Amino acid sequence: MSQQRYLHLNIVGNEINNHQGALAFERDHGGGPDRRNAYLPIAEMGKLAEEGLFTAMFLGDIAGTAGSPAPDGGPPEPITAFAALARETSYLGLIATASCSFYDPYNLARLLASIDQISDGRAGFNAVTSVSDEWAMNYSMEAHLDRETRYKRADEFLDVLTALWEKREVRDDADRIRRFYAEQINHKGENFQVLGPLNVAPSPQGRPLIAQAGGSGPGIKVAAKHAEMVFTNANTRGQAAEYRAQLDAALAERGRPAGTVPAIPGLVPFLGPSRAAAEEKLRLLDEHVPYELYAPFALIQFGLEFSFDSIDDPFPLDQIPKPEDVKDTIKSTYGNYVGLYTWITENPGVTVRDVTAQSLARGGAQHRKFVGTYDEFVDDLAAWHSDGTVGGFNLMFPTGVIDLREFVDEVVPRLVDRGIYRGTPDTRPLRERFAGN
């Protein structure tokens, strides 16, 4: 008999992923988190997510202020924040984002291994390559690396990181005293020269989980070699199936079994007890967004600009390139651009305002937005789950704490009753939770 397959729900904890009207909505309706410092909302969401039996929390790393409209100037550095949250939670996985373009692999290996120790085997690493020239200049670089170069660097970076983590063990010696042993890796590559060994003992899961956002060809190859979970973008079940096939083909080339690396797309839910209530929440949030101000920035995140006369004009699709024409040069995540471009083409007649809402104002970058009732949302998740192409969803809530509280109270019990979500905490090390599911 096959093992029961449950949905993984992860929460994305950065407030930059909230609806851009969230702060004004909180002002008018109450219920927002304490913001005396930028860590407190993360702590509140983390504890609520654990109450809701979420598998893990993702924290992105905003490595500079350019392009970051966060009202607090940006979130805390993820590894530091998770050092605190590890002591305030017991089961929640802690997946910290860090850039392979900016970090040194030995230093990052020590930091993440320490979080893995502190959390008793709940740490994960979301490997990204970053895109901003302004951020690169904060790390003694004249400009950011091109896409091909930074993926090559990321591949070698992950080789070093994994080697440092895996050449460690704790065992009993002849006197029955448990001791830590580690070996040198003596790595000499194009980008890094690292002797080793790593001076942090392994946790119960051996090493942190490796997650990655691989949407382009080079990204999928890196994911197939290194990742144990992939953060994807899929606005339709068909897109999810297509990505699953691409990832499985890449896994096969690496000698890894198909389906063993779960693909988990982002999702932004606007929910209510009725469809009208969910739509009203979205309307109220939208009222607080200055769309005329936001529209010019809708595609700048990809290094693209477009012109328009009115935000209520049809979006000028002819002004922006097809994804396949810019897959090697596009700024930001290629999968996000594919998701947005596909959404525009599949919704003919959308306006500049609509595209601005989808890509920026309504939060969650270009990830799928769902508007409906609690029961409709559960039906939707169950349908995606039954396809077998996704392992779960990375949820980005429009108002953060307010919506997460509602979700834990209203949606989680429905998911458990449907039989597609765990009804008790998963206490296994984080890597075991995602293995093969």
Side-chain angles (χ1 to χ4, degrees), residues 402-437:
I402 296 174
D403 284 320
L404 178 54
R405 175 76 270 170
E406 180 183 28
F407 186 90
V408 171
D409 291 342
E410 298 291 347
V411 178
V412 168
R414 288 171 164 84
L415 290 170
V416 173
D417 290 344
R418 185 66 69 93
I420 60 174
Y421 193 63
R422 290 183 178 275
T424 58
D426 191 342
T427 61
R428 294 174 297 170
L430 186 62
R431 291 178 63 209
E432 292 182 25
R433 302 181 207 176
F434 285 106
N437 186 19

Side-chain angles (χ1 to χ4, degrees), residues 15-29:
E15 290 198 301
I16 194 173
N17 290 298
N18 292 358
H19 192 293
Q20 296 305 303
L23 291 178
F25 183 92
E26 290 174 7
R27 178 199 63 206
D28 296 341
H29 297 83

Side-chain angles (χ1 to χ4, degrees), residues 53-373:
L53 304 174
F54 279 51
T55 302
M57 172 184 273
F58 270 92
L59 276 182
D61 190 18
I62 310 301
T65 58
S68 173
D72 56 8
E77 189 282 316
I79 299 172
T80 308
F82 278 151
L85 190 59
R87 310 314 297 169
E88 296 192 65
T89 55
S90 301
Y91 313 116
L92 186 69
L94 309 169
I95 303 176
T97 300
S99 174
C100 297
S101 300
F102 302 150
Y103 267 94
D104 173 87
Y106 190 87
N107 189 37
L108 186 61
R110 292 184 68 222
L111 292 169
L112 292 168
S114 297
I115 295 296
D116 208 28
Q117 279 278 2
I118 293 168
S119 65
D120 201 29
R122 293 186 282 133
F125 167 42
N126 181 32
V128 300
T129 59
S130 303
V131 293
S132 169
D133 288 341
E134 289 86 354
W135 293 2
M137 291 177 186
N138 291 335
Y139 294 87
S140 302
M141 301 168 67
E142 293 184 0
H144 208 310
L145 304 172
D146 63 79
R147 177 175 290 272
E148 181 179 358
T149 302
R150 67 178 185 258
Y151 272 114
K152 287 181 178 178
R153 176 185 167 97
D155 183 30
E156 185 182 347
F157 189 107
L158 289 166
D159 281 340
V160 174
L161 206 68
T162 303
L164 288 167
W165 284 338
E166 291 188 343
K167 289 185 178 293
R168 306 173 298 158
E169 62 176 316
V170 177
R171 63 176 185 265
D172 294 342
D173 64 14
D175 296 322
R176 293 181 296 174
I177 303 296
R178 290 189 68 76
R179 299 186 186 278
F180 166 58
Y181 299 86
E183 301 176 25
Q184 294 180 352
I185 66 169
N186 195 25
H187 175 90
K188 296 181 180 179
E190 183 177 347
N191 298 285
F192 306 108
Q193 292 78 47
V194 182
L195 179 63
L198 186 66
N199 62 345
V200 181
S203 77
Q205 69 172 344
R207 62 166 176 79
L209 171 132
I210 296 175
Q212 200 251 349
S216 63
I220 291 175
K221 288 182 179 180
V222 172
K225 180 179 178 181
H226 298 284
E228 294 158 291
M229 183 263 282
V230 184
F231 194 147
T232 67
N233 188 311
N235 277 280
T236 67
R237 291 158 68 185
Q239 290 174 19
E242 181 179 351
Y243 182 84
R244 180 75 264 169
Q246 292 174 348
L247 180 59
D248 282 344
L251 288 169
E253 290 181 3
R254 299 298 311 183
R256 301 176 69 185
T260 53
V261 177
I264 303 186
L267 177 56
V268 184
F270 295 85
L271 306 177
S274 66
R275 176 73 68 89
E279 292 174 347
E280 176 66 5
K281 179 189 293 184
L282 177 58
R283 187 190 68 78
L284 290 172
L285 286 163
D286 282 349
E287 277 188 350
H288 297 299
V289 177
Y291 276 98
E292 291 83 356
L293 177 65
Y294 274 56
F297 297 96
L299 296 181
I300 284 178
Q301 58 196 302
F302 300 110
L304 303 172
E305 297 183 15
F306 68 100
S307 60
F308 59 93
D309 295 323
S310 167
I311 61 169
D312 293 314
D313 287 344
F315 184 82
L317 184 61
D318 61 326
Q319 291 188 29
I320 63 174
K322 296 179 179 179
E324 57 267 26
D325 294 336
V326 292
K327 62 182 179 181
D328 295 325
T329 59
I330 198 75
K331 300 284 187 181
S332 191
T333 305
Y334 176 72
N336 283 353
Y337 183 64
V338 172
L340 179 62
Y341 190 92
T342 302
W343 180 83
I344 296 171
T345 58
E346 291 180 348
N347 292 274
V350 293
T351 65
V352 173
R353 183 194 301 270
D354 295 330
V355 173
T356 303
Q358 174 71 13
S359 69
L360 181 62
R362 288 177 175 169
Q366 292 71 45
H367 292 286
R368 182 168 71 107
K369 278 72 173 177
F370 180 96
V371 183
T373 70

